[in-house]
Amino acid sequence: MAMLRGYLYVDLIEAENLPDCDTAFFNIDPKDTSDAFAQIKIGHCVLCKTAVINNDLSPKWQESHRIPICHSSDKLQIQVLDKDHFDAGLLGEVIIRPEDLMDGETLEGWYPLSGSDGRIKLKMNYVPKEMIEATFEVPDCYFKLREGCKVTLYQDAHCPPLPIYEGIPTADGEVFNPPCAWVDLYKAVNGAQRFIYVTGWSVYTETVLVRDDCDCEDGKGESFGELLKRKADEGVRVLVMIWNEKMSTDLTVGFMGTHDEETRIFFQDSDVEVAVVPRVRCFEGMASFFQNQFSQTCYTHHQKTVILDCPPIDGEDLPRIQAFIGGLDITDGRYDTPEHELFRTIQTLHQGDFYNGVATVTSEVGPREPWHDIHCRLEGPIALDVLANFTERWRKQVHDRESRLLPISEEMFALEAPVTGEEDELWSAQIFRSISSDSAHFSFSRFSTIPKRRGKYVDDSIHRAYIHQIRRADSFLYIENQYFLGSAYNWDEEQSTKAYHLIPLEITQRILEKINAGEYMAVYILVPMFPEGDPASGPVQEILHWQHRTMQMMYRAIAEAIEANELGTHPRDYLSFFCLGKGECPDDIPEDLTPPEPGTPASVLRENARLMIYVHSKMMIVDDDYIIVGSANINQRSMGGTRDSEIAVGCFQPLHTREVSGQPQGSISKFRLALWAEHLGGVSEIHMNPGSIECMQAVNEMADNNWNVYSSDEPCKIEGHLMRYPVEVGQDGSVTALEGSENFPDTAAPVLGAPNYLPNKLTT
């Protein structure tokens, strides 16, 4: 077996003399011939597919593919297949040995197809990871790196000053004061004078951004819907583009509770223009009708962005552009602070905004579901790229109202980011996406950066950005994500599961590289205790099953490397999974809440006074000097480019990188410490160097203790919120249920999950 880790550049040009596998018996038209497409496979993993050329025994695809690769195999299969109504038949294949690619030579020309007289013309070149420059900029992306930007990072929707931040070092010696996402968003929207463009998985008009615990006096109690109406009445162009949940109608609320029809109806007699857009995928043929219906039902537009203009700063004549992007939807249940109250705020800050997506309880009884998320604000030239994404989506998905887009040019705005202090506040930033030409009207001049896949242009730069930054990581990775599953082709079993993205295996390979070089690297991964919903339900159990497969693959490889290098360390010294939980004392529960009915799930939650904090973040920090924030989960739905549509930003401060400052102490480092302060209940000196085994072991010790307290029979407050993920990792890398925690607390749901044989395009 040879390891290919880098990029494959493949041109699948044409084929000729293919066999005719269609017959009049199976086809309506007796003149039908083979409907050919080509694909490249390694084991169970399909690396790429071309478009189908109907009724042509000498098809010309003329497609170029750029494929990130991290695979061990003894062969690559280049196959030509005949697309039938519901399946595909093999017309012939070419076998390429990895050894033939690893010498750097380009394979080019006509190659005979086994089993027929046909042949295929192709060009293939392999570029190993070692030959790819480890730059901060991700190469070959639709959007280039922008310099001279400003980035504000947010934890949770609201973040008041708290004692937990006292251990974070600052330049002026003052206590770290975190910014507040929804207060800043309100101020920005309220100050817009020309345009406000919004995209969302869900935008709920009743959401209140500024509440009683905010220092901001303006806007308290005003709903987001009324705010947008007021701005539209002032003459601001307000365009809102939200996902159309197929099962949501005027009469039904749908499965996901996105409020899309409520939002449309709320604005229908106002100057706010709303487009409710389904996740359409354009296929042809009988089977394709069902594929289209599946896509519209199960895939989403998942981007969460607000782009707007803001008034000129002092001394300037031109207005500016700002953009907000990240994981926070402007919808119910998202307002939370790092304290993550269960009961105390139900009748105050969360009055009218009660939400619990994991337990069947009411606002009279509680608890609410705590919500942890990450968002950011972008200023300077990078905001133009977020604006371009909105414009491309509107032109494709709302083409009948394209004229409603304001004519905007760079000359109309001041593009330099506002600098309020030292020059080292400036950032460099780059926008990434998961999106296809089904959902965006791409610029013709940039087609070379978005290769075709099955005949469509696909921007999968979020996936490639994660891979690029993982490969250049030196000391540690800190990841927070709603899901963590993938690299199924390398699992011990079920390798055909459709979760082929590379991120888990790339993380593993980077750890192995460091171990084999006699060096150390730490990877901290924070996920929710379980996906939102009933943890015993089929879909949630299947997702947990895929997550278990992913964990076990990673730990087994690390364990083998530890043994081979005779280190005497444990796999959790290099890779640890965590979740968040909130434990309270029953005596602290407000007396004005209604007592739950005895024997109900609500009574169990009231008695134990605990619940997981839902991790909805989509973020990775690399070595404290680079961060990715966006809407993309670490699963195939978000990373594939052809399922859910996503957006993310990768950014860094050029004067606070390892190369420039040694130990980074810029805004990214402070943000990571602020997150850890939230999760750990404060930070200390040992947390300043997360790339040390001592730090990893200290964090694990606290997380282990917190889980023991959280899962005990006696309700009790825990120190911070960070807990070990409840699995036992053996010295051999085996991943089993933690003794005494085979099921999640207060549920009958197994921690390790179970396969349920749903369409795994849905659960991966």
Side-chain angles (χ1 to χ4, degrees):
M1 290 282 205
M3 167 59 81
L4 294 174
R5 187 170 176 223
Y7 272 87
L8 276 179
Y9 293 86
V10 181
D11 293 343
L12 295 170
I13 303 169
E14 61 180 312
E16 63 181 18
N17 298 327
L18 298 179
D20 181 7
C21 292
D22 287 358
T23 67
F25 181 79
F26 289 108
N27 291 279
I28 298 173
D29 185 350
K31 296 181 181 179
D32 272 356
T33 56
S34 294
D35 307 319
F37 68 97
Q39 69 179 24
I40 299 178
K41 287 185 68 178
I42 293 183
H44 293 284
C45 183
V46 177
L47 300 180
C48 70
K49 288 183 180 181
T50 69
V52 176
I53 307 297
N54 291 322
N55 302 322
D56 195 336
L57 301 181
S58 296
K60 292 177 171 57
W61 299 291
Q62 301 290 341
E63 288 192 12
S64 297
H65 297 261
R66 177 189 57 233
I67 308 165
I69 190 168
C70 183
H71 297 73
S72 293
S73 181
D74 57 359
K75 65 180 180 180
L76 281 76
Q77 298 168 269
I78 303 171
Q79 300 178 325
V80 179
L81 299 101
D82 174 32
K83 177 64 176 175
D84 293 327
H85 294 307
F86 295 100
D87 203 354
L90 183 65
L91 299 177
E93 69 177 3
V94 177
I95 303 298
I96 302 292
R97 297 183 309 157
E99 294 80 6
D100 295 333
L101 294 168
M102 297 175 73
D103 61 4
E105 295 295 321
T106 299
L107 303 182
E108 186 173 9
W110 286 96
Y111 289 81
L113 294 167
S114 61
S116 74
D117 295 329
R119 59 179 188 165
I120 184 172
K121 187 177 183 180
L122 59 87
K123 181 179 179 181
M124 181 180 294
N125 184 46
Y126 167 62
V127 179
K129 177 188 74 72
E130 292 74 19
M131 293 182 63
I132 301 171
E133 189 177 359
T135 55
F136 282 96
E137 180 173 12
V138 181
D140 301 325
C141 287
Y142 188 88
F143 295 111
K144 303 301 182 185
L145 184 73
R146 297 274 201 170
E147 298 178 344
C149 303
K150 187 175 180 180
V151 179
T152 304
L153 299 168
Y154 301 108
Q155 61 187 109
D156 304 316
H158 186 63
C159 203
L162 295 168
I164 58 175
Y165 299 122
E166 291 178 359
I168 300 174
T170 59
D172 57 9
E174 298 294 325
V175 175
F176 177 79
N177 188 19
C180 298
W182 276 9
V183 169
D184 285 357
L185 177 60
Y186 176 85
K187 290 178 179 178
V189 172
N190 192 45
Q193 298 175 350
R194 301 189 183 191
F195 71 94
I196 302 166
Y197 294 166
V198 181
T199 70
W201 174 84
S202 171
V203 175
Y204 186 35
T205 57
E206 297 300 312
T207 302
V208 176
L209 300 178
V210 183
R211 307 192 185 185
D212 287 341
D213 61 339
C214 301
D215 292 335
C216 176
E217 292 301 322
D218 294 336
K220 282 191 176 180
E222 184 176 23
S223 72
F224 190 66
E226 293 297 340
L227 172 62
L228 292 185
K229 277 186 176 181
R230 176 165 61 80
K231 296 306 296 184
D233 289 343
E234 293 173 6
V236 177
R237 182 66 52 84
V238 182
L239 305 181
V240 179
M241 184 164 43
I242 53 177
W243 173 52
N244 181 9
E245 185 187 352
K246 191 175 180 64
M247 305 308 293
S248 172
T249 68
D250 291 348
L251 302 177
T252 59
V253 296
F255 294 138
M256 306 300 290
T258 59
H259 306 288
D260 55 329
E261 288 302 313
E262 293 176 65
T263 299
R264 180 186 62 79
I265 293 169
F266 180 87
F267 287 122
Q268 65 183 1
D269 294 323
S270 74
D271 290 329
V272 176
E273 299 198 36
V274 178
V276 184
V277 293
R279 174 63 181 96
V280 173
R281 296 179 73 190
C282 302
F283 297 104
E284 297 178 356
M286 186 187 305
S288 300
F289 170 81
F290 298 103
Q291 289 178 304
N292 288 332
Q293 295 302 307
F294 181 89
S295 297
Q296 291 184 40
T297 303
C298 299
Y299 298 154
T300 77
H301 292 300
H302 202 236
Q303 297 178 350
K304 308 107 173 28
T305 68
V306 178
I307 315 103
L308 43 76
D309 72 296
C310 49
I313 61 175
D314 292 342
E316 291 188 351
D317 297 325
L318 294 177
R320 295 177 173 272
I321 298 177
Q322 292 184 7
F324 292 79
I325 77 169
L328 271 169
D329 295 283
I330 306 170
T331 192
D332 39 4
R334 271 51 172 180
Y335 190 90
D336 210 349
T337 74
E339 295 172 297
H340 299 297
E341 301 286 356
L342 297 181
F343 295 96
R344 189 175 60 87
T345 60
I346 289 176
Q347 302 298 340
T348 55
L349 295 175
H350 291 97
Q351 189 169 22
D353 186 24
F354 180 83
Y355 178 83
N356 194 319
V358 299
T360 306
V361 293
T362 66
S363 59
E364 290 75 25
V365 175
R368 60 173 292 272
E369 177 187 346
W371 196 274
H372 174 64
D373 224 322
I374 291 174
H375 218 67
C376 69
R377 177 177 62 189
L378 306 176
E379 301 174 78
I382 190 65
L384 289 173
D385 294 335
V386 188
L387 174 62
N389 169 75
F390 182 92
T391 300
E392 291 178 355
R393 283 192 57 193
W394 186 274
R395 285 176 174 166
K396 180 69 176 185
Q397 298 171 275
V398 202
H399 53 82
D400 58 328
R401 285 184 275 166
E402 183 175 341
S403 62
R404 302 307 297 156
L405 291 165
L406 288 180
I408 296 175
S409 65
E410 295 188 12
E411 294 75 19
M412 297 167 59
F413 298 93
L415 298 182
E416 301 82 7
V419 178
T420 57
E422 298 296 327
E423 187 179 356
D424 64 2
E425 290 187 6
L426 291 177
W427 296 65
S428 294
Q430 187 174 12
I431 292 297
F432 311 115
R433 290 187 295 186
S434 289
I435 200 165
S436 70
S437 52
D438 288 327
S439 301
H441 195 286
F442 294 136
S443 170
F444 179 79
S445 63
R446 301 185 188 182
F447 277 166
S448 62
T449 65
I450 40 174
K452 279 188 173 182
R453 192 182 304 172
R454 298 183 68 180
K456 303 178 189 301
Y457 289 99
V458 177
D459 184 348
D460 62 352
S461 51
I462 297 179
H463 182 216
R464 293 190 292 109
Y466 269 84
I467 292 168
H468 183 83
Q469 302 302 337
I470 290 166
R471 288 174 175 176
R472 57 170 293 275
D474 179 65
S475 175
F476 80 97
L477 297 171
Y478 175 55
I479 294 171
E480 293 188 5
N481 207 280
Q482 184 183 2
Y483 297 101
F484 192 87
L485 60 95
S487 305
Y489 59 87
N490 211 56
W491 293 350
D492 294 340
E493 299 178 66
E494 299 175 289
Q495 295 176 345
S496 60
T497 304
K498 296 184 184 302
Y500 293 146
H501 73 85
L502 309 188
I503 292 171
L505 189 54
E506 285 286 357
I507 292 171
T508 308
Q509 289 297 320
R510 190 66 185 122
I511 294 172
L512 301 187
E513 283 181 328
K514 301 295 274 187
I515 290 175
N516 293 331
E519 300 172 4
Y520 178 75
M521 181 174 178
V523 178
Y524 308 79
I525 300 177
L526 177 65
V527 294
M529 196 179 297
F530 50 83
E532 202 176 27
D534 177 2
S537 67
V540 173
Q541 281 289 293
E542 186 153 81
I543 293 169
L544 290 168
H545 177 67
W546 305 141
Q547 178 180 272
H548 174 232
R549 287 279 185 227
T550 304
M551 288 181 178
Q552 186 147 291
M553 171 200 70
M554 300 174 77
Y555 277 125
R556 284 200 186 281
I558 294 168
E560 290 172 2
I562 291 171
E563 182 179 10
N565 287 273
E566 300 179 343
L567 295 178
T569 48
H570 189 274
R572 284 185 73 212
D573 291 334
Y574 305 88
L575 170 69
S576 284
F577 287 85
F578 306 96
C579 58
L580 299 179
K582 175 72 171 183
E584 297 183 346
C585 291
D587 292 343
D588 295 334
I589 298 174
E591 295 181 356
D592 57 353
L593 293 179
T594 302
E597 291 291 330
T600 63
S603 69
V604 174
L605 293 173
R606 177 71 67 89
E607 179 181 352
N608 293 327
R610 64 186 173 193
L611 198 67
M612 75 162 175
I613 298 168
Y614 197 63
V615 178
H616 193 256
S617 317
K618 300 93 169 55
M619 180 213 72
M620 180 173 73
I621 292 175
V622 183
D623 296 332
D624 266 355
D625 64 4
Y626 186 92
I627 187 170
I628 295 177
V629 175
S631 66
N633 296 311
I634 297 180
N635 60 7
Q636 193 66 28
R637 292 178 62 113
S638 287
M639 293 295 166
T642 57
R643 298 191 192 179
D644 295 347
S645 59
E646 311 281 6
I647 191 168
V649 63
C651 41
F652 64 99
Q653 292 174 293
L655 297 183
H656 285 289
T657 65
R658 285 170 295 150
E659 292 80 359
V660 172
S661 62
Q663 183 71 21
Q665 294 181 338
S667 296
I668 295 172
S669 174
K670 290 181 177 62
F671 184 66
R672 194 262 307 167
L673 287 169
L675 290 170
W676 282 25
E678 173 182 343
H679 303 331
L680 298 171
V683 292
S684 60
E685 184 63 33
I686 199 168
H687 302 130
M688 304 300 161
N689 184 13
S692 69
I693 194 170
E694 292 80 13
C695 181
M696 172 64 90
Q697 290 173 342
V699 172
N700 272 328
E701 182 179 3
M702 176 176 282
D704 291 357
N705 291 336
N706 283 346
W707 177 262
N708 292 336
V709 174
Y710 179 88
S711 60
S712 68
D713 294 333
E714 289 295 323
C716 183
K717 288 184 178 180
I718 62 175
E719 183 180 358
H721 304 129
L722 190 77
M723 306 182 298
R724 74 177 296 166
Y725 197 82
V727 293
E728 187 67 56
V729 179
Q731 185 64 48
D732 63 350
S734 60
V735 179
T736 56
L738 193 63
E739 185 176 357
S741 295
E742 290 79 8
N743 295 340
F744 295 111
D746 306 325
T747 79
V751 168
L752 300 184
N756 284 275
Y757 308 106
L758 297 163
N760 62 52
K761 283 187 176 182
L762 173 65
T763 57
T764 60

